Amino acid sequence: MRSHRIAVASGKGGTGKTTVAVSLALTLEGLPTDVQFIDCDVEEPDAALFLKPAIENTTDVTIPIPVVDSERCTGCGRCVEACQFNALTIVSGKVLGFKNLCHGCGGCAFVCPENAIEETPNRIGTIESGAAGDMTFMSGRLDIGEPKATPLVRALKAAARPDVLTVLDAPPGTGCPVVETVKDCDFCLLVTEPTPFGLYDLDLAVSVLEVLGIPSGIVINRDDGSSRIIDDYASAKGIPVLMRLPLRREIAGPLSRGIPLVAADAAWAREFRGLVEKVEGAL
């Protein structure tokens, strides 16, 4: 499994995605290979609550924002036409920019015939890096009020080592930050719940992975044995159910105190070793 990238994702929040990602990474840490954990849920990063890393470096992440020189600008409007995100407009012959809509693509500066547009860095968040035991730890943190998580996820992955076994804790949902997280992974674990809402969001996540061509397996969390709604779906789609986490107080208790499952109970350490073997067999 050396240098493989394994994402842990879910179609919705609150399914136990980080619970699974953390215990998976801690289990992989016992293998004779380097392991890194990347928390890509940059709007609500919480893996550090379980892994308790020692953060050694914090780096700002910026995207380039256009600044228009009003003396050189002729108001021709080519920059406005080029912007696919409606981040520029013309009012009374002057170009106005909306930085919260800008994706930093540089297209406006490229097409400006008067070279009246320069780009200035605009911070959107930070990357924290360090170590959790023998594991490399990285996490992104989007600044409050910033609407675009995808560039931060992209920068976070670019800063990671490409040559080690990596677990990526994806954001919830199926939006652009999730696609950015999983798009070049070798395998994706989808964590879900055996409810109609869980099934609906799981189906959305599976659809994304099918488009990207990424193989997947399912982890059913809070499984009380009363419903086969996820099992029937998985069987119909040909996706294996690789693990079940039962709805039990003895599981929720340690997690509420920031204790990973594999550290709280030796039985779950064995279960996650079995999960690792199943994922390895699928790679």
Side-chain angles (χ1 to χ4, degrees), residues 132-148:
D134 294 330
M135 187 190 317
T136 300
F137 178 89
M138 298 181 66
S139 176
R141 190 174 298 275
L142 191 69
D143 284 349
I144 294 174
E146 285 293 334
K148 298 181 294 298

Side-chain angles (χ1 to χ4, degrees), residues 76-122:
C76 69
R78 293 189 184 180
C79 57
V80 176
E81 295 172 1
C83 183
Q84 299 298 303
F85 306 103
N86 298 314
L88 296 171
T89 190
I90 294 181
V91 177
S92 299
K94 294 184 178 181
V95 176
L96 299 179
F98 306 96
K99 73 173 187 177
N100 286 341
L101 296 178
C102 179
H103 284 56
C105 69
C108 56
F110 179 78
V111 301
C112 179
E114 306 299 331
N115 293 321
I117 298 178
E118 294 186 0
E119 293 178 312
T120 184
N122 177 63

Side-chain angles (χ1 to χ4, degrees), residues 209-261:
L209 295 179
E210 287 176 342
V211 170
L212 296 175
I214 298 172
S216 63
I218 294 173
V219 175
I220 304 177
N221 190 20
R222 303 186 183 96
D223 185 8
D224 62 3
S226 65
S227 173
R228 287 192 52 84
I229 188 171
I230 301 299
D231 296 85
D232 293 342
Y233 172 82
S235 177
K237 298 291 288 188
I239 303 173
V241 175
L242 301 181
M243 176 179 273
R244 301 173 189 271
L245 300 176
L247 182 63
R248 293 179 184 169
R249 188 181 186 89
E250 55 267 31
I251 289 179
L255 293 175
S256 69
R257 299 191 298 274
I259 303 173
L261 278 179

